[in-house]
């Protein structure tokens, strides 16, 4: 028995070394930047926040001088947004919240692909709906036990791949010849599973109700899409806009505004930096003017 | 509880430590410990069905005792019949009720007399086909006086529910496994080390090979109408590796796990895709089930003795029943029939036991003849797997007919190069280790320690970096 444990231990030491390496890399690439916004926001005068998945990323912090902070993150689901919102409502006197109302956001795809192990850091355990075991599992096990966390593994591999491919020149969206096929593939990823996520729908409702309770105005935004994506998507919609409308929220639909402008996109459904800047101006005009007209 | 789940990662070390450190010397306590663990393991899925296992256990234990004590042949026959009827009755109800109900409806509707039987929403208890056959083997062996009735209830109950092989086999014979519960078990380093390696290899087969192939198999089979013949052929080949990786992976984990607790389970797979004919394939695929049917069905029916008609009848019976055992769908029955058709010419020509040794024994590469035989056997097997995977008979025939067209020469529309490379690596390792019980058993055994450990770390890294962990995909054979 002693010999078995000796050999098993030496094997497990190696496994632990792999675990430490992956955790260290992923912590720097993912968990730290994810929670950085939370740490930096303390003491800032924030009037509004923009919450979305990767569709919101190109907006960068172009509206920060207007007191609007963009806290979007790639793959953020409504559960993540809910976790973040609790933090911002607690620590800031917000006027309004701009939530993504994209057609795929109540999909099964988004329910499975999220950042809940990172957004859990925004949650105050005392007032959270998570069970103690669920909270501890998400916050510590998934973050530090990389060998049982496929998310950490995937981030590590993605980083490794981009490191190996860093010298490769990638074609811009405008130059790509198979736009239609790419649009269809992306839409399949978002809409193939027809089940609407009830969990995310509940999270969205919870967010709106939390805002209402604090007198914070909620806007819904549909982000600009390429014509290839729009054509493939057709009328597919899991209905986050309907949930928001049911609460009387205003939906700003920008899906078709850049339909003819492939030069403003980096891929099927994401703006590039230039597109992000232009779009930020539109949000500013639309949301801020709307707010001003109400006041 | 799934072997590839976090729950199991906590469960196993706990049970292992209590088993060896708290009850190291007392067999009864160890058996009680294993029994409780097995019930927790099974109940984790659905505790209600524990009553079914418990009922079968109590019934067969009592019938076995009475059979052992009785000298009256007629009484003994009745006792055996009770065991067979009750056990197969449960299996029939839970697994086949809706199938027969649907089939009756179709037959009566076809004859112009539509009927509307009550359709039941029946949940299939996980592993029912496996533990039913295991308890049946006990009753039959006691009846045939090949085995003494179980000495105590705890040993018997643990034999029925032993968690490593409870839900997907290997289907153990009472004559082999039950006596192991009576013997004192001492921790054996060589056995445990071997078991750990076998578990590691089993996990590799499951999460790297089976689950990765599964993603593309699903894509191809769900949209088979839209794909070229070459894509469909690739889908069938990937399914062959999916089902092999899935099922033999489970068996490897089960066997390895049992070794950690001092038990020896029977071999269930012996590199079946390196077979030179279908008869050899069936000696190497799901060995515990094929030998079960051989011993309890084929031989009692007369086996291959007797006239031509008897041989043909028995071959078809065993393959059709085997197909039906896998599931309540005509696709499985046709899969069985197809294998019978493959096997029959060999049996009739007296060539079914031609290839009893290992392919390319003692050599690195097979001869041209062996390679050709291997490819033909594998192709026939893949063709039959299409029925196994298809959702209906019509779909299977459509799939196969679409596979035979000129587009077989085109590049497949779905071509997951990484997965194909992994399967290639897997075939290579299996080939190198084909003379052992499992592929990595002897791989690097004579190398220096750092290199030997390199092999194990290599397998671990592949599991971690190339494994598919999406939603802890269930093992295919759980449904059977």
């Amino acid at each position: 028995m002693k010999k078995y444990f000796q050999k098993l231990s030496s094997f497990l030491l190696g496994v632990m070394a792999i675990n430490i390496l992956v955790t260290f890399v992923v912590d720097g690439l993912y968990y730290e930047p994810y929670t950085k916004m939370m740490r930096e926001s303390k003491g800032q005068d924030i009037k509004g926040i923009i919450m979305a998945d990767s569709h919101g990323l190109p907006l960068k912090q172009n509206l920060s001088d207007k007191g609007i902070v963009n806290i979007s993150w790639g793959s953020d689901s409504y559960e993540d947004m809910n976790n973040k919102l609790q933090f911002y409502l607690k620590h800031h006197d917000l006027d309004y919240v701009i939530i993504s109302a994209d057609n795929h956001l109540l999909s099964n795809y988004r329910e499975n692909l999220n950042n809940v192990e990172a957004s859990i850091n925004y949650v105050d355990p005392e007032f959270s709906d998570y069970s103690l075991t669920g909270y501890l599992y998400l916050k510590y096990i998934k973050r530090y036990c990389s060998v049982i966390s496929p998310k950490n593994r995937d981030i590590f591999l993605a980083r490794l791949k981009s490191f190996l491919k860093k010298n490769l020149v990638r074609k811009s969206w405008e130059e790509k010849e198979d736009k239609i096929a790419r649009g269809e593939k992306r839409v399949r990823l978002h809409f193939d599973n027809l089940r609407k996520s009830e969990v995310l729908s509940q999270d969205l409702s919870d967010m709106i109700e939390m805002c209402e309770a604090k007198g914070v105005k909620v806007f819904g935004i549909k982000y600009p899409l390429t014509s290839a994506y729009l054509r493939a998507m057709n009328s597919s919609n899991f209905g986050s806009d309907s949930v928001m409308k049911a609460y009387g929220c205003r939906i700003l639909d920008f899906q078709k505004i850049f339909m003819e402008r492939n030069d403003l996109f980096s891929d099927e459904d994401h703006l590039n930096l230039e597109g992000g800047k232009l779009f930020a101006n539109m949000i500013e005009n639309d949301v801020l003017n709307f707010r001003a007209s109400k006041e | 509880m799934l072997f590839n789940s976090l729950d199991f990662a906590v469960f196993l070390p706990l049970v292992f430590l209590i088993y060896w450190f708290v009850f190291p010397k007392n067999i009864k306590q160890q058996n009680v410990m294993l029994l409780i663990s097995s019930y927790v393991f099974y109940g984790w899925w659905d505790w209600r069905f524990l009553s079914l296992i418990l009922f079968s256990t109590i019934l067969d234990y009592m019938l076995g005792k009475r059979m052992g004590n009785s000298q009256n042949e007629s009484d003994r026959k009745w006792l055996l019949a009770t065991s067979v009827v009750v056990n197969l009755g449960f299996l029939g109800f839970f697994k086949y009720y809706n199938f027969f109900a649907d089939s009756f409806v179709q037959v009566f509707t076809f004859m112009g007399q539509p009927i509307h039987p009550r359709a039941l929403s029946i949940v299939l208890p996980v592993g029912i086909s496996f533990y039913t056959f295991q308890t049946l083997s006990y009753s039959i062996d006691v009846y045939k006086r090949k085995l003494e009735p179980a000495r105590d209830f705890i040993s018997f109950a643990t034999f029925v529910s032993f968690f490593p092989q409870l839900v997907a086999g290997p289907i153990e014979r009472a004559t082999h496994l039950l006596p192991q519960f009576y013997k004192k078990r001492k921790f054996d380093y060589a056995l445990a080390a071997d078991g750990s390696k076998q578990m590691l290899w089993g996990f590799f087969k499951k999460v790297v090979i089976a689950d990765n192939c599964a993603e593309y198999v699903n894509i191809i089979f769900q949209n088979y109408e839209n794909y070229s013949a070459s894509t469909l052929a690739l889908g069938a080949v990937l399914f062959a590796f999916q089902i092999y990786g899935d099922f033999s992976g489970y068996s490897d984990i089960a066997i390895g796990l049992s070794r950690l607790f001092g038990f020896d389970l029977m071999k269930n797979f012996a590199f079946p895709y390196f077979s030179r004919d279908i008869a050899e394939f069936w000696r190497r695929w799901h060995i515990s089930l094929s030998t079960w049917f051989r011993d309890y069905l084929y031989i009692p029916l007369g086996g291959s003795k007797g006239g031509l008609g008897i041989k043909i009848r028995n071959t078809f019976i065993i393959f059709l029943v085997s197909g039906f055992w896998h599931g309540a769908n005509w696709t499985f029955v046709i899969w069985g029939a197809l294998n019978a058709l493959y096997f029959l010419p060999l049996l009739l020509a007296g060539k079914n036991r031609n290839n009893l040794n290992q392919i390319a024994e003692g050599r690195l590469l097979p001869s041209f003849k062996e390679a050709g035989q291997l490819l033909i056997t594998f192709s026939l097997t893949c063709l039959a797997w299409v029925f196994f995977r298809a959702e209906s008979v019509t779909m299977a025939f459509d799939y196969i007919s679409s596979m035979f067209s000129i587009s077989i020469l085109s590049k497949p529309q779905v071509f997951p190069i990484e997965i194909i490379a992994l399967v290639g690596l897997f075939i290579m390792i299996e080939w190198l280790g084909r003379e052992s019980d499992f592929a990595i058993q002897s791989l690097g055994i004579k190398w220096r320690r750092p290199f030997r450990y390199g092999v194990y770390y290599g397998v671990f890294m592949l599991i971690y970096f190339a494994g598919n962990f999406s939603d802890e995909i269930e093992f295919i054979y759980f449904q059977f």
Side-chain angles (χ1 to χ4, degrees):
Chain A
M1 182 76 90
K2 195 177 163 191
K3 190 179 168 189
Y4 178 75
F5 276 108
Q6 273 174 349
K7 300 230 169 172
L8 186 67
S9 309
S10 58
F11 179 74
L12 292 178
L13 272 176
V15 171
M16 204 179 281
I18 297 168
N19 187 76
I20 290 170
L21 171 74
V22 176
T23 306
F24 178 75
V25 172
V26 173
D27 225 56
L29 287 171
Y30 173 53
Y31 292 97
E32 276 302 307
Y34 197 98
T35 49
K36 195 177 158 193
M37 288 180 295
M38 175 178 75
R39 292 191 300 274
E40 285 179 347
S41 79
K42 284 179 182 165
Q44 278 183 324
D45 183 22
I46 300 175
K47 289 288 158 212
I49 51 174
I50 297 176
M51 296 196 293
D53 58 3
S54 53
H55 288 180
L57 291 177
L59 290 171
K60 299 276 178 185
Q61 298 299 348
N62 288 323
L63 295 169
S64 59
D65 55 332
K66 305 282 184 279
I68 302 175
V69 176
N70 179 14
I71 57 168
S72 305
W73 194 274
S75 303
D76 257 7
S77 69
Y78 284 134
E79 185 176 356
D80 301 304
M81 297 180 207
N82 192 358
N83 290 344
K84 287 178 176 177
L85 183 64
Q86 288 172 36
F87 172 85
Y88 280 94
L89 285 177
K90 189 177 172 188
H91 294 95
H92 298 277
D93 188 15
L94 299 178
D95 280 347
Y96 48 91
V97 170
I98 303 167
I99 302 174
S100 170
D102 281 336
N103 295 15
H104 71 288
L105 275 183
L106 289 181
S107 63
N108 191 51
Y109 160 80
R110 186 45 78 232
E111 184 183 320
N112 292 331
L113 190 68
N114 56 46
N115 295 307
V116 71
E117 60 284 310
S119 67
I120 193 82
N121 288 290
Y122 283 80
V123 169
D124 183 345
E126 217 176 304
F127 304 103
S128 134
D129 288 338
Y130 291 100
S131 65
L132 179 66
T133 48
Y135 178 80
L136 295 175
Y137 172 71
L138 286 172
K139 186 160 180 177
Y140 299 106
I141 306 279
K142 286 198 93 174
R143 181 170 183 173
Y144 297 108
C145 296
S146 290
V147 289
I148 53 164
S149 173
K151 176 79 178 252
N152 287 8
R153 185 267 314 255
D154 292 343
I155 293 169
F156 182 84
L157 285 178
R159 179 64 183 176
L160 197 68
K161 266 187 197 164
S162 69
F163 175 75
L164 295 173
K165 286 182 178 174
K166 69 178 176 186
N167 292 325
L168 293 177
V169 180
R170 292 172 68 186
K171 275 186 181 175
S172 69
W173 171 250
E174 202 179 7
E175 291 167 328
K176 281 181 178 149
E177 286 144 14
D178 53 347
K179 292 190 188 70
I180 291 177
R182 282 173 180 270
E184 283 170 355
K185 192 177 169 193
R186 185 76 180 155
V187 166
R188 268 205 304 278
L189 185 72
H190 286 157
F191 296 97
D192 238 14
N193 188 323
L194 297 173
R195 187 179 69 82
K196 177 184 167 185
S197 169
E198 293 304 325
V199 180
L200 296 184
S201 186
Q202 187 57 48
D203 277 310
L204 179 58
S205 299
D206 290 347
M207 281 195 285
I208 301 169
E209 285 166 17
M210 269 194 305
C211 288
E212 277 180 350
K214 291 225 170 195
V216 177
K217 181 87 185 161
V218 177
F219 292 94
I221 277 198
K222 285 176 177 259
Y223 283 80
L225 298 165
T226 60
S227 53
Y229 185 97
L230 275 166
R231 191 157 76 173
M233 184 174 74
N234 200 2
S235 58
S236 305
N237 184 2
F238 286 104
S240 46
D241 51 350
S242 308
V243 176
M244 296 173 95
K245 276 179 193 163
Y247 281 95
C249 305
R250 186 173 170 227
I251 305 292
L252 309 170
D253 189 348
F254 294 106
Q255 286 184 118
K256 293 179 180 169
I257 50 162
F258 296 143
M259 254 183 93
E260 308 303 324
R261 296 286 307 271
N262 278 324
D263 58 309
L264 296 178
F265 287 89
S266 61
D267 60 24
E268 305 82 24
D269 55 337
H270 294 96
L271 292 169
N272 58 25
L273 288 182
E274 198 193 334
K277 243 183 216 171
L278 268 176
F279 183 46
N281 292 335
M282 290 180 165
I283 294 181
E284 184 187 345
N285 294 336
D286 212 317
V287 176
L288 297 186
N289 291 345
F290 179 77
R291 294 287 300 153
S293 68
K294 290 281 163 185
E295 282 158 11
Chain B
M1 204 179 288
L2 295 173
F3 285 159
N4 52 334
S5 68
L6 196 60
D7 302 329
F8 188 72
V10 175
F11 171 85
L12 176 62
L14 261 179
V15 175
F16 181 83
L17 291 175
I18 297 172
Y19 181 83
W20 287 117
F21 288 100
V22 182
F23 312 115
K25 287 174 184 166
N26 190 317
I27 306 172
K28 276 195 176 168
Q29 287 174 347
Q30 280 187 336
N31 286 348
V32 170
M33 170 70 200
L34 285 178
L35 180 62
I36 294 170
S37 309
S38 300
Y39 273 53
V40 169
F41 178 85
Y42 192 84
W44 211 257
W45 166 70
D46 193 332
W47 59 269
R48 292 169 304 170
F49 289 115
L50 283 173
S51 57
L52 212 59
I53 297 185
L54 187 64
F55 181 81
S56 282
T57 307
I58 294 170
L59 180 84
D60 284 316
Y61 178 72
M62 286 168 54
L63 293 174
K65 277 270 177 216
R66 288 192 62 183
M67 257 192 274
N69 294 334
S70 172
Q71 299 304 320
N72 184 321
E73 276 311 302
S74 167
D75 282 355
R76 286 165 51 77
K77 262 186 193 159
W78 275 109
L79 292 167
L80 175 66
T82 309
S83 171
V84 172
V85 168
V86 173
N87 282 306
L88 291 184
F90 277 137
L91 182 63
F93 174 74
F94 282 102
K95 194 163 174 174
Y96 301 107
Y97 173 84
N98 281 335
F99 170 75
F100 282 117
D102 290 347
S103 300
F104 276 123
V105 170
Q106 282 166 14
V107 169
F108 278 87
T109 308
F110 181 73
M111 294 189 308
Q113 298 287 324
I115 53 167
H116 303 282
R118 180 184 286 190
L120 299 180
S121 171
I122 300 169
V123 178
L124 181 66
V126 166
I128 188 168
S129 308
F130 291 91
Y131 69 74
T132 300
F133 271 41
Q134 192 154 308
T135 52
L136 276 178
S137 90
Y138 167 78
S139 299
I140 298 169
D141 286 347
V142 170
Y143 171 76
K144 289 183 172 176
R145 298 199 190 281
K146 283 185 186 168
L147 178 74
E148 288 292 309
R151 287 182 201 168
D152 64 281
F153 180 72
I154 296 294
S155 299
F156 181 70
T158 319
F159 154 75
V160 175
S161 63
F162 189 42
F163 75 87
Q165 43 88 245
L166 171 63
V167 289
I171 303 166
E172 273 296 334
R173 303 305 169 74
T175 45
H176 179 240
L177 184 58
L178 187 57
Q180 294 184 49
F181 287 97
Y182 306 147
K183 283 185 203 153
K184 193 173 176 199
R185 294 179 291 272
K186 212 176 133 202
F187 186 84
D188 180 339
Y189 167 74
L191 197 67
D194 217 36
S196 305
K197 276 197 278 179
Q198 193 161 4
M199 284 175 70
L200 187 69
W201 189 238
F203 280 116
F204 172 82
K205 284 176 171 176
K206 166 66 180 159
V207 299
V208 180
I209 301 301
D211 293 348
N212 278 321
C213 286
E215 269 194 29
Y216 293 93
V217 169
N218 291 344
I219 290 171
I220 296 171
F221 273 77
Q222 280 163 11
N223 303 294
Y224 71 98
E225 304 98 330
N226 305 325
Y227 289 124
S228 62
S230 56
T231 314
L232 299 183
L234 181 67
V237 170
L238 287 178
F239 180 67
F241 285 100
Q242 181 198 345
I243 193 155
Y244 173 58
D246 194 283
F247 192 23
S248 74
Y250 187 94
S251 292
D252 279 336
I253 299 169
I255 295 167
L257 200 53
S258 306
R259 289 179 169 187
L260 290 184
F261 292 91
F263 288 87
D264 171 48
L265 297 186
M266 72 184 292
K267 198 173 178 175
N268 215 13
F269 289 86
F271 310 100
Y273 291 150
F274 299 145
S275 302
R276 286 153 290 182
D277 59 46
I278 286 293
E280 187 184 7
F281 174 82
W282 279 105
R283 280 194 296 276
R284 293 173 177 277
W285 180 273
H286 203 174
I287 298 165
S288 65
L289 181 71
S290 7
T291 52
W292 197 100
F293 278 128
R294 182 197 65 199
D295 294 347
Y296 298 115
L297 186 64
Y298 188 63
I299 292 175
L301 284 171
S304 57
K305 290 172 186 150
L308 185 69
I310 299 283
K311 279 181 184 172
I312 295 173
R313 182 200 70 180
N314 291 352
T315 302
F316 268 96
I317 287 176
I318 193 168
F319 277 106
L320 290 177
V321 172
S322 172
F324 202 50
W325 176 90
H326 282 89
N329 194 327
W330 287 108
T331 51
F332 294 114
V333 178
I334 294 180
W335 171 75
L338 198 54
N339 275 287
L341 287 173
Y342 292 162
F343 180 81
L344 209 56
L346 292 170
L347 180 73
L348 297 179
K351 291 184 175 174
N352 57 315
R353 296 185 69 77
N354 267 7
N355 294 309
L356 295 175
N357 63 342
Q358 188 68 251
I359 187 171
E361 207 164 65
R363 285 175 284 133
L364 180 64
L365 296 172
S367 64
F368 278 117
K369 186 186 167 194
E370 284 172 328
Q373 289 173 323
L374 188 150
L375 277 177
I376 291 169
T377 309
F378 181 70
S379 307
L380 289 173
T381 312
C382 286
L383 203 66
W385 283 135
V386 172
F387 284 95
F388 201 93
R389 173 61 179 77
E391 275 142 36
S392 67
V393 177
T394 319
M395 176 185 165
F397 279 114
D398 282 352
Y399 191 104
I400 288 172
S401 60
S402 306
M403 241 162 55
F404 293 97
S405 80
I406 191 72
S407 63
I408 192 82
L409 301 172
S410 63
K411 191 192 168 195
Q413 292 145 297
V414 178
F415 195 73
I417 187 74
E418 295 99 337
I419 308 304
I420 292 167
L422 281 170
V423 170
L425 177 73
F426 172 60
I427 295 171
M428 202 179 77
I429 297 173
E430 288 261 299
W431 178 263
L432 292 174
R434 70 193 182 283
E435 289 179 19
S436 311
D437 283 344
F438 56 95
I440 61 163
Q441 186 178 32
S442 313
L443 194 65
I445 202 97
K446 289 177 186 161
W447 298 351
R448 292 176 65 185
R449 201 169 158 190
F451 296 109
R452 200 170 64 241
Y453 268 60
V455 172
Y456 310 137
Y457 280 124
V459 176
F460 173 78
M461 302 267 265
L462 281 170
I463 292 174
Y464 179 55
F465 286 115
N468 186 334
F469 295 99
S470 47
D471 292 340
E472 294 162 353
I473 303 166
E474 277 201 2
F475 289 86
I476 295 178
Y477 265 70
F478 277 16
Q479 62 189 292
F480 301 141

